Amino acid sequence: MASPVYVTQPFLPPLEELQPLLEEIWRSRRLTNGGPFHERLERALCDYLGVKHISLFANGTLGLVTALQSLRITGEVITTPFSFVATAHALLWNGIRPVFVDIHPESLNLDPEQVEAAITPLTTAILPVHVYGRPCDTSALQSIADRYGLRLIYDAAHAFAVEDEGGSVLRHGDLSVLSFHATKVFTTFEGGAIVSRDPQAKRRIDFLKNFGFTDEVTVVAPGINGKLNELQAAVGLVQLGHVDTALERRAAVDEAYRCGLEDVGGIRCLGRPKSRRHNYSYFPILVDAEFPIGRDALYEHLRSSGIFARRYFYPLITDFPMYRSLPSADKARLPVAAQVASQVLCLPIYPDMSEEETSRIVAVISAVAVR
């Protein structure tokens, strides 16, 4: 029987590259609190991503929570129901009321027209997500934010290394928040970051992620412990040297899927990303009504074949009990998101994935299609 294939596996560079860094940490006894590897990783990421200011975090969710805190966001924030639940949870943790609007049927990102229609006197910010690393309509969203005096914070958990015609997509909005979780294209096992525009914004974020301390005896804000430790930073530094190779391998898997599934009736791949540089973080397909079995049945069939795809993102955030009573969670208001959530299936994709594994997954799906 073939080995199981999971939706993603972290790309782990050779252990011998990490060993000297670990030995240096052991000798220094400096484990956390903004040590030398932490500082090196921040500088290296700024250079690689082409951004000016980065603040590292222990995970992306803490980054989202702190980003909202740093801009003193209150009231209502417009966001998407089609995302990982941490997007909305970060709002609740800050006492903010999420307002959900529908997504665009092609990009699966927030639909700017729906965003503008949902603005009220209580709206203070927009929290879009670059879903699957596919850039939002950043020009339209920025125009709306400027017109109504709103803050714009991007959940860029999927968007590491993604570029549009002007450069990194992380430069858009007031802040962008990354995730370096083990499932992401760049990982520190757990981790995340906030990309900010100016040194003043970074300074406040760095205070907030360290309990609000400015020195040993001065606390200027009700911060939390969001720091990335030295071990995670060392992993990130080694990972960064291999990330271009990892993205190239992901692109090859993406192309193999597209070629293999092109003529499979009832299976629809999303259009090729329009970004100048994509990271191939996910490979979503949509299971249409003409496919012989439904999405959930295909999901179970793949699992029984040792292929562990994921239904990202199902259920919608608005289906969870802490959100479904909100007026904006009504599925009648979210027809595109509800439809996509019932159809989407993310197939395994990771740098070490073999041609045989990709071919086997395509064959399993194709065999169902010809029943």
Side-chain angles (χ1 to χ4, degrees):
M1 182 177 178
S3 299
V5 184
Y6 296 93
V7 70
T8 189
Q9 292 185 26
F11 180 72
L12 299 178
L15 187 58
E16 56 265 26
E17 293 185 25
L18 182 60
Q19 185 173 345
L21 280 67
L22 297 179
E23 291 175 351
E24 187 174 339
I25 292 169
W26 254 247
R27 286 194 300 269
S28 72
R29 299 293 196 268
R30 184 74 181 271
L31 304 182
T32 188
N33 289 356
F37 287 108
H38 176 282
E39 293 179 1
R40 279 176 55 187
L41 182 58
E42 283 195 343
R43 292 194 299 269
L45 286 171
C46 283
D47 290 343
Y48 180 81
L49 296 171
V51 297
K52 292 182 178 180
H53 303 285
I54 283 183
S55 300
L56 296 175
F57 275 80
N59 59 62
T61 302
L62 286 172
L64 281 171
V65 170
T66 305
L68 293 160
Q69 278 278 324
S70 73
L71 295 178
R72 300 177 174 87
I73 304 299
T74 60
E76 295 181 351
V77 170
I78 296 171
T79 192
T80 175
F82 190 71
S83 179
F84 186 62
V85 73
T87 304
H89 280 358
L91 296 171
L92 288 194
W93 272 88
N94 280 288
I96 298 165
R97 181 185 178 95
V99 174
F100 299 100
V101 303
D102 211 358
I103 60 176
H104 191 277
E106 293 181 8
S107 71
L108 307 188
N109 293 321
L110 272 183
D111 185 336
E113 291 185 6
Q114 301 286 333
V115 170
E116 187 160 21
I119 293 171
T120 74
L122 297 176
T123 306
T124 58
I126 308 167
L127 179 57
V129 179
H130 298 298
V131 175
Y132 308 138
R134 304 164 75 88
C136 295
D137 187 341
T138 53
S139 296
L141 290 170
Q142 189 63 60
S143 178
I144 292 168
D146 292 343
R147 189 155 57 248
Y148 292 92
L150 305 177
R151 294 290 199 170
L152 183 56
I153 303 168
Y154 282 98
D155 181 338
H158 303 173
F160 185 88
V162 174
E163 298 179 0
D164 59 21
E165 291 305 314
S168 173
V169 298
L170 304 175
R171 76 188 189 282
H172 294 294
D174 295 285
L175 301 171
S176 288
V177 183
L178 287 161
S179 171
F180 302 151
H181 186 263
T183 59
K184 300 301 188 289
V185 297
F186 171 82
T187 178
T188 55
F189 297 172
E190 289 279 3
I194 300 177
V195 176
S196 48
R197 288 181 172 182
D198 57 69
Q200 293 78 21
K202 175 174 168 53
R203 188 176 301 114
R204 175 165 169 77
I205 289 165
D206 288 345
F207 288 155
L208 286 170
K209 77 173 183 182
N210 188 30
F211 305 103
F213 279 107
T214 60
D215 57 41
E216 290 185 2
V217 296
T218 307
V219 176
V220 296
I224 56 175
N225 185 6
K227 302 183 295 293
L228 187 83
N229 64 53
E230 287 291 89
L231 293 174
Q232 291 171 294
V235 170
L237 284 166
V238 176
Q239 280 271 1
L240 198 56
H242 295 269
V243 71
D244 285 338
T245 299
L247 297 185
E248 289 173 7
R249 293 180 182 177
R250 283 178 172 271
V253 176
D254 181 280
E255 187 62 27
Y257 274 138
R258 290 183 183 277
C259 292
L261 296 170
E262 185 176 17
D263 297 322
V264 179
I267 296 295
R268 182 159 42 105
C269 302
L270 297 190
R272 295 180 187 276
K274 297 178 181 178
S275 46
R276 184 177 71 178
R277 188 190 193 200
H278 190 51
N279 64 11
Y280 306 95
S281 53
Y282 296 86
F283 192 84
I285 60 172
L286 299 177
V287 183
D288 289 334
E290 64 185 274
F291 196 71
I293 60 177
R295 188 277 310 274
D296 290 343
L298 178 58
Y299 166 79
E300 294 295 345
H301 179 67
L302 289 171
R303 287 179 69 89
S304 69
S305 302
I307 300 164
F308 293 87
R310 294 292 296 269
R311 291 167 289 187
Y312 288 141
F313 292 97
Y314 168 84
L316 292 176
I317 293 175
T318 47
D319 289 333
F320 295 116
M322 63 288 301
Y323 302 108
R324 62 188 175 211
S325 63
L326 294 171
S328 63
D330 184 352
K331 274 194 170 61
R333 298 171 179 256
L334 309 168
V336 178
Q339 179 69 21
V340 172
S342 71
Q343 293 179 294
V344 71
L345 193 62
C346 285
L347 301 181
I349 183 169
Y350 47 88
D352 292 331
M353 194 169 177
S354 68
E355 292 181 14
E356 291 77 15
E357 288 171 327
T358 309
S359 297
R360 181 166 77 89
I361 293 168
V362 169
V364 171
I365 296 172
S366 300
V368 176
V370 297
R371 285 181 177 177

